[in-house]
Amino acid sequence: MNKNKLWIVSEFYYPNENSTGYIITNIVDKLALYSHINVITVGDTIKERSNNIYTIRIKEVESLDKNKLIQRIIKQLIISVRFLFSILKNVKKNDTVVTVTNPALNLIFLSVIKKIKKIKLIIIVHDVFPENLIVSGISNESKLVYKIAKRLFNYSYNKGDKLITLGRDMQKQIQNKVYNKDKVICIQNFADTNNIFPSQKEKNNILIENKIVNKFIVLFTGNIGRMQNIDSLLETICILNNDDDIHFLFIGEGAFVEKMKSYINENSLSNITMLPNMSREKENEFLNAGDVGLVSLVPNVMGTGVPSKTYSYMAAGKPILAFLDEDSEIALMTKEENIGWVVNPNNPIELAEKIIEIKNNKDEVIIKSKKSREVAVEKYSLDIITEKYSIAIKSK
């Protein structure tokens, strides 16, 4: 029997319901069906999900606001240091550590620990550091701190024995950072087709309560932040403000929420409803509140992130309106599977025109809706994707 332990290290894990937490929880549950799993994460101790799972929880930093940049950096630093001490204390020589790229500094610490303790290191890349700092406008390539960060993170990626990316564009991005390109593989996010499924729009309580059930709904869910191209989306919403049939429904939170609310008030926009995050228990309801699922990213972010909500839209049978780079994973999949439309992220006018075109072609929406659900079930279901993770983690 192999005495070496398997560790999963992630800032987000059960009961955290954000996308990373949900994905990691399901990967752990899958692995726990076959062997004992050890998890290091953040939060208070709660009852374990399985007898095969042992969880160490480090203290959360609750006094700092993640939506404020400086506070977020300080918070990430504190959490990373706490992870460092926990890993040094608990992980032994020749153990396997699977880590997510959150918190970011933890990746650098683990690359050093790997050398000290001779561990096997598998990195699940959800965010590509430090390039995502450029595309989100936080830094630029000329800054010394960015150049130093790039060297440190590239060193860390090279120390990984295997790197799992969420999309083909991200796979290429990481391959450009490492010497051994063969160790970089792609496993897309999953669609929870067991708990998310299509339902009738006419009976949707969210639409009924907000009196928009008879509108053509463009649905946006999840983080409303720096990466989501909010300025361009607001311009599109403003362009379509006089079209009484089209309504935008935003469900989520993030650093740009207040900016959106101010813009809506200043421009007297009546074609948008903003609601806060909703629990997983309401996920099937809010995902079925749209006619199309909007996925957006700022331009030129190739390979730095893959919006996981896309697969949830698909599970709910929603066609994808991809407002992002045409060679990104989501755009590629949308075109290859014929489950939606791709629009240049630099062009809010084109997006507005495409939404009008989609609204006026109900038959095409129905066809793409059905196909979206089929693709989610056949290629991206929970069992299919978590099995890929299980094979990748257990293989040499």
Side-chain angles (χ1 to χ4, degrees):
M1 183 177 177
N2 188 358
K3 64 179 180 179
N4 298 327
K5 294 180 178 179
L6 172 60
W7 295 87
I8 308 292
V9 179
S10 175
E11 179 181 358
F12 305 113
Y13 173 68
Y14 177 81
N16 190 299
E17 293 187 327
N18 74 2
S19 58
T20 298
Y22 192 61
I23 291 165
I24 296 302
T25 298
N26 280 280
I27 292 171
V28 169
D29 287 352
K30 180 74 172 183
L31 293 169
L33 294 174
Y34 311 106
S35 59
H36 188 81
I37 309 297
N38 304 277
V39 179
I40 302 178
T41 189
V42 173
D44 297 327
T45 301
I46 58 175
K47 185 178 179 180
E48 299 295 351
R49 296 168 62 79
S50 162
N51 291 332
N52 260 354
I53 301 173
Y54 170 66
T55 306
I56 297 172
R57 295 181 181 270
I58 65 173
K59 188 178 179 181
E60 174 64 283
V61 183
E62 297 178 346
S63 60
L64 298 174
D65 186 351
K66 68 176 183 178
N67 289 323
K68 295 180 179 178
L69 182 58
I70 300 301
Q71 292 189 42
R72 181 174 183 174
I73 293 172
I74 296 172
K75 180 177 181 177
Q76 291 287 296
L77 177 59
I78 294 171
I79 290 175
S80 296
V81 171
R82 288 176 180 172
F83 266 115
L84 171 63
F85 283 113
S86 182
I87 293 167
L88 286 172
K89 178 181 177 181
N90 294 286
V91 176
K92 307 301 180 185
K93 183 178 180 180
N94 296 324
D95 284 354
T96 296
V97 175
V98 181
T99 186
V100 189
T101 46
N102 295 98
L105 288 176
N106 192 54
L107 183 60
I108 297 173
F109 292 155
L110 271 168
S111 66
V112 177
I113 293 173
K114 173 181 170 61
K115 190 172 183 179
I116 297 171
K117 294 203 171 190
K118 311 299 182 185
I119 61 172
K120 179 182 178 182
L121 179 60
I122 299 174
I123 303 169
I124 300 176
V125 184
H126 280 188
D127 296 288
V128 180
F129 293 98
E131 282 77 3
N132 61 342
L133 301 180
I134 291 179
V135 297
S136 60
I138 296 174
S139 185
N140 62 67
E141 293 185 11
S142 64
K143 289 186 177 181
L144 178 61
V145 66
Y146 174 81
K147 294 177 180 179
I148 294 172
K150 187 170 184 177
R151 290 180 66 89
L152 287 172
F153 279 107
N154 285 359
Y155 171 83
S156 302
Y157 291 127
N158 272 287
K159 287 299 179 183
D161 294 286
K162 186 174 296 184
L163 296 104
I164 302 173
T165 62
L166 301 180
R168 287 162 285 181
D169 54 343
M170 186 181 287
Q171 184 180 18
K172 290 179 182 178
Q173 177 89 313
I174 296 298
Q175 284 178 330
N176 289 334
K177 290 174 165 290
V178 299
Y179 300 116
N180 181 5
K181 301 185 188 308
D182 292 336
K183 68 181 181 180
V184 185
I185 65 173
C186 173
I187 302 177
Q188 288 90 348
N189 275 320
F190 61 78
D192 188 358
T193 52
N194 295 322
N195 296 308
I196 303 171
F197 46 86
S199 66
Q200 289 183 323
K201 178 184 174 184
E202 293 74 19
K203 296 181 179 179
N204 190 280
N205 289 327
I206 295 171
L207 299 181
I208 294 171
E209 289 169 6
N210 288 278
K211 299 179 181 180
I212 51 175
V213 71
N214 294 319
K215 306 283 189 179
F216 180 84
I217 304 297
V218 179
L219 177 67
F220 179 105
T221 65
N223 185 45
I224 303 173
R226 294 178 178 85
M227 296 282 286
Q228 279 67 50
N229 206 2
I230 298 301
D231 288 339
S232 292
L233 292 181
L234 286 171
E235 188 174 338
T236 297
I237 294 167
C238 193
I239 292 169
L240 294 172
N241 194 38
N242 293 325
D243 191 320
D244 218 29
D245 296 329
I246 297 171
H247 199 86
F248 291 83
L249 176 59
F250 277 66
I251 302 174
E253 296 171 359
F256 276 33
V257 166
E258 294 307 316
K259 179 178 182 177
M260 282 195 72
K261 289 180 179 178
S262 296
Y263 186 94
I264 291 167
N265 291 331
E266 290 169 5
N267 292 275
S268 301
L269 300 182
S270 59
N271 62 340
I272 179 172
T273 297
M274 294 189 67
L275 300 174
N277 277 340
M278 297 184 184
S279 66
R280 288 280 174 188
E281 286 72 25
K282 291 187 175 182
E283 188 172 34
N284 197 63
E285 185 173 26
F286 70 71
L287 286 168
N288 276 286
D291 290 286
V292 296
L294 175 60
V295 184
S296 62
L297 288 173
V298 293
N300 305 315
V301 296
M302 288 294 298
T304 57
V306 180
S308 61
K309 64 184 176 185
T310 310
Y311 303 91
S312 296
Y313 289 151
M314 292 165 62
K318 304 304 169 191
I320 306 303
L321 180 52
F323 190 47
L324 33 73
D325 295 322
E326 64 176 359
D327 291 327
S328 65
E329 175 63 31
I330 299 305
L332 290 172
M333 178 188 65
T334 299
K335 291 183 287 187
E336 290 166 358
E337 303 293 351
N338 195 24
I339 58 171
W341 308 266
V342 178
V343 178
N344 185 334
N346 289 297
N347 199 330
I349 296 174
E350 183 184 344
L351 178 61
E353 291 172 346
K354 179 59 67 174
I355 291 171
I356 294 172
E357 177 188 321
I358 296 168
K359 178 202 68 171
N360 293 330
N361 197 336
K362 294 181 180 179
D363 290 341
E364 186 179 14
V365 172
I366 292 171
I367 292 170
K368 290 184 185 296
S369 295
K370 183 179 179 181
K371 184 70 183 299
S372 189
R373 171 68 185 184
E374 289 175 354
V375 172
V377 172
E378 294 170 3
K379 296 186 178 182
Y380 300 105
S381 70
L382 177 63
D383 287 343
I384 291 171
I385 299 301
T386 53
E387 180 62 22
K388 287 183 179 181
Y389 271 102
S390 180
I391 292 169
I393 290 170
K394 290 187 292 185
S395 65
K396 292 183 179 180

